[in-house]
Amino acid sequence: MTALMSISSSEITLDDLTRVLLIGSVVLLVAVAAVRLSIRSGMPSLLIYLGLGLLLGKGALGIEFDSASTTRVLGYAALVLILAEGGLTTSWQKIRGAVAPAAVLATVGVVVSVLVVAVAVHAFLPLSWTIALLIGAIVSSTDAAAVFAVLRNVPLPRRLSAVLEAESGFNDAPVVILVVAFAAQGVPGGAAHTWYELAGFATLELAGGLAVGLAVGWLGGQGLRRVVSASSALFSIGILSLTVLAYALGALAHVSGFLATYVAALVLGNLNLPHRVSFRSFANAMGWIAQIGLFVMLGLLADPRRLGGQVLPAIVIGLVLLLFARPLSVWVSTVWFRFFTWRRQAFLSWAGLRGAVPIVLATVPLTTGTPDTDWIFDLVFVLVFIFTIVQAPTLGWMARRLRLSEGVAAVDVDLESVPLVEIGADVLQVTIGADSLLHGVALFELRLPRGAHVALVVRGDSSFVPDRHTTFRHGDRFLVVTTIQAKERAERRIRAVSHGGRLADWT
């Protein structure tokens, strides 16, 4: 295996290809099987994939991989696909009320977190302010892949989950800007920037990335609708290519390519384009492949023999981040919005999951030549591993303790067999939780708006078409077929009855 990883492209033979395909296919199959374990435990699958990389690497099977520059390049490519998948599968209707607080969290909140962590690092470790700020910036980004994976299993108020999703999509861009700037300042003879120069650069890059993303998303979507609308497969390839194009154009223009990617994907995913199911499924598959490849590669790069020495610093910095930096950044960012009670602020603080992004960014100082920073990768790797184990499985428990867990969960259902967009229809899947007051409510008492109808109820292992006297029970799942115009009112009505019972909003 060691020899395999060192072969140059000019020396690859069919036997080498066979070994690569064998290893790659086995890794993917193990990763797919690991998803079930991840769902049952509430643990993000990223930990399993990191562990798989460690197993394949120097600590066990001996695959040699130690290129920080390759990791950074491939890591950026994977993050583009992950952000594209997040944007394409996010409903603007659901996150529009969360964009303002999420944007503040992703900018002002990031700055607060960086400063608090930097003060702690400078106080506890004998490091310069530049390196302390660099570490603070590296660990300040929440991870889109980890957040999206965990939130699927935690029924939260829609706006709260939307804030977490949008924040994780937005905050990669400012964090990358800060990490690159601090790493460059740490290079001997590197240009030093004042705080207001950094703020100006960041503002210009973010504004430029936003403009590129909006332009590529809207113009590209209109063009694809006219050119490739007949083939769902080609249309899906075109949609994903547009999100990658947004990153490339942003990077060439020296603005934020990551923000351009996420915004372009968000626009494309909400344009009511044809073949929505196909391109979302394709993006989801590519996102999974990117996640698996990225986390396994990061595990390969880590050397288990060096990680032990970073456990204590990682725990100290992680505790500062979890108990001080994140709560303060959440409070400063959300105190202006009435929606965010102390319970919601507490949950947002606990739900700031770290994942692949900080580990990838830990390779930046290695590739820019910042001296004496080899250990930062090991520190960040250990921090992410330990605190993901602590935070991710406890999110559901935390939501229940703070009385934020929803009694009903409603999600969109995409059906491949019917062109729903073309006929102006949509489908909701509703799950009735243990605390929902929908239990005991008859179908006619639900009083859904005109244009929305319950089409199917799933109870245990059986399913049936309900009549107006069918009574809902805890654990039931049911499908609501609705016109696009009635969808939002239907979901509001279901949530109102779940919280207030059959007489909710009675007029």
Side-chain angles (χ1 to χ4, degrees), residues 34-321:
V35 172
R36 178 176 292 273
L37 175 61
S38 171
I39 293 173
R40 287 182 175 179
S41 64
M43 195 84 68
S45 51
L46 72 91
L47 292 181
I48 300 172
Y49 304 151
L50 286 174
L52 186 58
L54 286 172
L55 179 65
L56 291 172
K58 305 168 188 174
L61 298 183
I63 293 179
E64 291 290 338
F65 180 76
D66 55 8
S67 174
S69 59
T70 300
T71 300
R72 182 183 178 187
V73 171
L74 295 181
Y76 275 32
L79 291 177
V80 168
L81 294 178
I82 292 169
L83 286 171
E85 188 263 340
L88 289 172
T89 56
T90 296
S91 168
W92 172 254
Q93 185 182 65
K94 290 185 177 180
I95 73 162
R96 62 185 176 186
V99 168
V104 178
L105 268 171
T107 51
V108 176
V110 162
V111 172
V112 171
S113 181
V114 170
L115 293 176
V116 173
V117 172
V119 169
V121 170
H122 186 70
F124 292 123
L125 302 175
L127 296 172
S128 67
W129 276 111
T130 298
I131 300 301
L133 288 167
L134 174 62
I135 294 174
I138 288 172
V139 300
S140 290
S141 176
T142 58
D143 186 73
V147 170
F148 294 154
V150 171
L151 288 182
R152 293 187 184 106
N153 303 315
V154 182
L156 294 172
R158 185 168 67 175
R159 190 177 178 189
L160 188 60
S161 62
V163 168
L164 284 166
E165 289 188 24
E167 180 205 4
S168 65
F170 290 149
N171 67 9
D172 288 349
V175 168
V176 168
I177 294 169
L178 291 176
V179 169
V180 172
F182 291 140
Q185 288 190 184
V187 176
H193 299 290
T194 62
W195 69 267
Y196 51 85
E197 287 177 326
L198 284 177
F201 293 151
T203 301
L204 289 175
E205 288 204 26
L206 295 176
L210 177 63
V212 170
L214 289 172
V216 172
W218 194 84
L219 294 174
Q222 300 305 321
L224 276 183
R225 190 199 299 272
R226 291 169 173 77
V227 175
V228 225
S229 61
S231 169
S232 62
L234 289 176
F235 197 84
S236 301
I237 294 172
I239 289 289
L240 197 62
S241 299
L242 283 173
T243 64
V244 176
L245 176 65
Y247 174 83
L249 291 177
L252 285 173
H254 300 290
V255 298
S256 176
F258 288 119
L259 184 60
T261 296
Y262 185 72
V263 171
L266 190 60
V267 171
L268 289 165
N270 289 274
L271 275 180
N272 282 334
L273 295 171
H275 310 301
R276 183 179 65 179
V277 175
S278 294
F279 71 69
R280 284 183 171 180
S281 298
F282 179 65
N284 189 253
M286 294 301 294
W288 273 111
I289 291 175
Q291 288 181 50
I292 293 168
L294 174 58
F295 295 136
V296 171
M297 178 180 65
L298 293 173
L300 280 171
L301 185 62
D303 187 344
R305 294 167 295 188
R306 300 197 313 259
L307 299 180
Q310 299 299 330
V311 171
L312 184 57
I315 290 175
V316 171
I317 295 172
L319 287 174
V320 170
L321 181 64

Side-chain angles (χ1 to χ4, degrees), residues 459-481:
R459 181 171 294 161
D461 295 328
S462 63
S463 59
F464 57 91
V465 176
D467 59 37
R468 65 190 309 269
H469 296 290
T470 297
T471 301
F472 295 110
R473 299 178 185 175
H474 292 309
D476 281 356
R477 289 171 292 157
F478 60 90
L479 295 181
V480 179
V481 179

